[in-house]
Amino acid sequence: MRDITGSTANECAVKIAQKYTESTDIVSLFLSHHGQTQFATGISGNAFRRKGFPNSTAPNHLHVPAPYCYRCHYKASYPGCGFQCVEAIADHIEYGSSGSVACMIVEPILGNGGNIVPPPGYFQQLRKLCNEYGMVLIADEVQTGIGRTGYMFASELFDIQPDIITLAKGLGGIGVPIAAVLMKSRLNVLKKHEHSFTSGSNLISLAAAQSTLDVVAQPEFLNDVKLKGEILGSLLNELPSKHKCIGDVRGVGLMWGIEIVDQDGAPDVHKANEIIETAFSDQRLILRDSRYGYGNVVKVRPALVATDDEIAEIVERLDAVLQKVG
Ligand SMILES: Cc1ncc(COP(=O)(O)O)c(C=O)c1O
């Protein structure tokens, strides 16, 4: 199904799940980001973005803890935790839902929430849970899709086996607006009048997507992203020994984040923002903070076509910024 934005693609995926399952409720993760429309903001796990907008809420909706091992909601440690973050979802459904659950929507890596990479086995547990409750599993790959992790879809990397994948961002190559909803054929249940937009099939966007896919689908391109991701990861992993404000470095492919902490290991949002501002003013380095500036993770996302030298330079400049900010 064609769409224009990631937000509306996610709305489409939820509609499909609700119609297919004849159920209502939607489960999503704390710290998730599924878009900027009122409904997509409602299902996203960052409630501060709804402040002042009483309609930015999704009825029949549950938020559950994210697989954020660095700051585990249950104060447990992987792998001994027994995936409490998945087990507890059953309780949330039991006590917090209407009992009619349609779908679970997850980002393979919670991008805006802090580049949170779920631990091995998480998605397999989640798949089992979705099967148990008859929930459609939606992978929101708006950030992780189209080569960002070195795979066309992060669902392949994590072996998620989703029923629906939503795409946007990278699909248009350089920001041409286009989104897509990929689904198993049995889920192709929406009629035209149930989800369509004036520019939903515009030829410029389709041409941009086709050209992007022609490039990204080449195995050597994806392989190159994987190799560059390894370089980026190993260079970023050298930084914590030099800079005490880095509590964690995590990522895959060309999607990385560094978690900024204070002396006690608590999230240091102020410093994360200072790093981002200084990176731009001193080094002309464009970085983004998690949670729209309310988070403490500095996101590092080079272009997929960045060269090895450019990746090394990005980390050198970041190193200089960390040196200055202290
Ligand atoms: C994971 C994820 N889902 C959905 C969206 C919303 O996409 P769009 O801005 O195209 O509506 C975003 C945007 O940042 C995103 O990161």
Side-chain angles (χ1 to χ4, degrees), residues 5-8 10 33-36 107 140 142-143 168-169 292:
T5 69
S7 311
T8 47
N10 284 331
H33 175 59
H34 298 299
Q36 295 279 10
E107 295 160 82
D140 174 348
V142 168
Q143 275 199 47
K169 287 200 196 298
Y292 289 96

Side-chain angles (χ1 to χ4, degrees), residues 4-10 32-37 40 44 105-112 140-144 166-169 178-179 255 292 299 301:
I4 311 280
T5 69
S7 311
T8 47
N10 284 331
S32 60
H33 175 59
H34 298 299
Q36 295 279 10
T37 57
S44 298
I105 181 165
V106 284
E107 295 160 82
I109 297 173
L110 288 95
N112 183 57
D140 174 348
E141 294 232 30
V142 168
Q143 275 199 47
T144 55
T166 55
L167 298 169
K169 287 200 196 298
I178 184 162
M255 186 167 177
Y292 289 96
K299 299 186 286 181
R301 306 280 167 78

